Amino acid sequence: MQNVYDVTIIGGGPAGLYSAFYSGLRGLKTKLIESQQELGGKVLLYPEKLIWDIGGHPPVLGGQFVKQLIEQAKTFDPTILTNTKVDLIERQDDLFIVHTSMGECHYSRTILLAVGGGIINPQKLTLEGAEKYEMANLHYTVQSFQRFVDKEVIISGGGNAAIDWAVELSSIAKSITVVYRNEKLSAHEATIQEAINAGVKIECNTSITKLTSNADKTAIQYVTCENSKTQENSIRQIDEVIISHGYNHEASLDFDEAIALPKKDDYYFEGKATGETAQPGIFAAGDILAFEGKVNLLIGTFQDAANAVNSIKTYLEPSAYRYGMVSSHNELFKEKNRSIIEKQLSKVGN
């Protein structure tokens, strides 16, 4: 007999991770499946960025926030699979069968979709030989600010991510130059002005056209840029290259025709604020879910997750309470609270 879970969560970003915690809180046997090697979703792209919009939480770096989310998600010991891509979901009687790209099948009484924007991969620089520098000084995300201290940095891109990075690095790098192929940057005006005030050099109508390696061919030493209006080329020596050309979003799953879900804008699943979709037994949370009054922020993601899990609980057990008991009165936390308080008291005593 196959191992059947109460809920299988597809996606290991903030929505999926908080859903895993909350489903454990509600006593559901839980499995989480993530296509990438690491949990954290889109937040992994910005480990050094400060996140300010989490209620009651001081500003926290993206990398630290992911660690805390993962730790919280594991509170009730869910089964977690990473590097596992879901290809197809089908229904068989009262169960859902989740098929993966490795030919495995997972069985579940309900499904919670938390795939966000799908599988996200950065749009690569399409210059010959560029890929060989990805392990050296060609970057598609900023993993550590320390690497850019006192460096000559060039950033290709004109969106919010590119200009945010320019602002963040401007206080530590030797110089920052942003090149953008279009006439006008697409980032927020206030952020652009902040970059200008910080001394960031911005060149529009300009693209990187060539990468030239150092003597031992281990890293980029020069970049050639072309101005599309003047047709002039310039060669500049650099230490680090950051490419911020956006991301390719790949839908991470498909459904059997019998349980296909209606979509909005050809991607997002239409549903309710309760996390319910048009298909009984399939629920959704986070960016993938569309409904009137949707809040597309982390605070909205967490509410989506709690609502979806509560809906799953009552779907499986109609007599169950509609909402989970608050943590201050929940028996599940008594022993955990005692352990945490004892640790804090021991630190004070030392």
Side-chain angles (χ1 to χ4, degrees):
M1 177 67 180
Q2 65 268 16
N3 193 5
V4 178
Y5 286 76
D6 291 324
V7 56
T8 296
I9 301 165
I10 314 298
L17 291 170
Y18 192 72
S19 295
F21 162 74
Y22 207 84
S23 61
L25 175 68
R26 300 238 52 192
L28 300 174
K29 184 179 179 182
T30 305
K31 176 179 283 184
L32 185 150
I33 302 177
E34 165 59 37
S35 62
Q36 305 283 19
Q37 292 185 350
E38 295 182 79
L39 297 169
K42 193 161 57 176
V43 183
L44 288 172
L45 300 173
Y46 310 104
E48 293 277 357
K49 281 189 67 65
L50 281 170
I51 298 172
W52 285 79
D53 56 351
I54 306 169
H57 201 301
V60 59
L61 290 174
Q64 180 61 33
F65 177 58
V66 167
K67 290 180 182 178
Q68 293 169 187
L69 274 176
I70 294 171
E71 182 180 354
Q72 183 185 51
K74 293 180 177 179
T75 301
F76 299 103
D77 300 315
T79 297
I80 296 177
L81 304 178
T82 57
N83 203 28
T84 303
K85 183 178 181 295
V86 173
D87 283 341
L88 176 69
I89 297 174
E90 63 175 343
R91 187 194 290 274
Q92 186 179 84
D93 298 325
D94 293 333
L95 294 180
F96 292 97
I97 306 175
V98 179
H99 298 265
T100 72
S101 58
M102 293 179 284
E104 299 171 338
C105 292
H106 303 269
Y107 299 86
S108 189
R109 299 171 69 194
T110 64
I111 299 293
L112 203 171
L113 304 171
V115 295
I119 300 173
I120 300 174
N121 294 304
Q123 293 186 20
K124 299 293 187 75
L125 187 64
T126 56
L127 293 180
E128 185 177 355
E131 65 280 355
K132 67 184 178 184
Y133 300 116
E134 290 179 15
M135 299 300 291
N137 59 344
L138 177 63
H139 313 277
Y140 292 99
T141 186
V142 176
Q143 294 292 331
S144 171
F145 284 175
Q146 190 62 35
R147 182 185 181 95
F148 300 90
V149 173
D150 203 32
K151 298 290 183 66
E152 302 275 2
V153 182
I154 188 168
I155 301 174
S156 178
N160 289 315
I163 306 305
D164 281 347
W165 278 331
V167 171
E168 297 280 359
L169 296 174
S170 62
S171 63
I172 61 172
K174 187 175 182 179
S175 73
I176 302 285
T177 300
V178 172
V179 296
Y180 186 48
R181 63 181 180 177
N182 293 332
E183 181 81 27
K184 185 179 179 181
L185 298 176
S186 58
H188 295 304
E189 289 183 9
T191 311
I192 295 171
Q193 189 58 54
E194 190 176 357
I196 294 171
N197 293 343
V200 174
K201 185 178 181 182
I202 297 173
E203 300 179 15
C204 291
N205 302 306
T206 302
S207 302
I208 297 175
T209 56
K210 184 180 179 181
L211 306 174
T212 304
S213 67
N214 54 13
D216 56 9
K217 301 187 183 302
T218 58
I220 303 165
Q221 186 171 4
Y222 300 96
V223 296
T224 301
C225 294
E226 181 182 54
N227 184 298
S228 59
K229 279 197 167 183
T230 65
Q231 305 299 311
E232 293 180 351
N233 289 308
S234 60
I235 300 174
R236 58 197 82 188
Q237 186 170 344
I238 54 86
D239 298 307
E240 306 288 342
V241 179
I242 300 172
I243 304 300
S244 181
H245 293 173
Y247 296 90
N248 295 314
H249 297 256
E250 175 190 346
S252 59
L253 54 86
D254 202 357
F255 296 91
D256 182 73
E257 288 185 5
I259 57 172
L261 296 174
K263 293 183 177 181
K264 179 181 179 182
D265 299 331
D266 296 326
Y267 183 80
Y268 307 99
F269 295 120
E270 292 184 355
K272 301 177 181 179
T274 55
E276 296 165 285
T277 70
Q279 184 63 228
I282 299 181
F283 303 81
D287 288 348
I288 191 64
L289 176 65
F291 59 86
E292 187 176 354
K294 173 81 173 183
V295 178
N296 290 297
L297 296 171
L298 283 170
I299 53 173
T301 289
F302 299 144
Q303 182 172 2
D304 284 355
N307 283 338
V309 171
N310 285 328
S311 293
I312 289 170
K313 180 69 175 180
T314 54
Y315 173 84
L316 295 174
E317 302 174 32
S319 62
Y321 287 114
R322 179 69 185 87
Y323 301 103
M325 188 177 293
V326 296
S327 59
S328 57
H329 301 294
N330 198 310
E331 290 289 328
L332 291 172
F333 290 113
K334 279 193 174 181
E335 183 58 37
K336 296 180 186 296
N337 289 344
R338 187 179 299 113
S339 176
I340 291 170
I341 290 171
E342 287 175 356
K343 287 181 180 179
Q344 289 176 341
L345 290 174
S346 66
K347 288 180 181 179
V348 172
N350 294 331

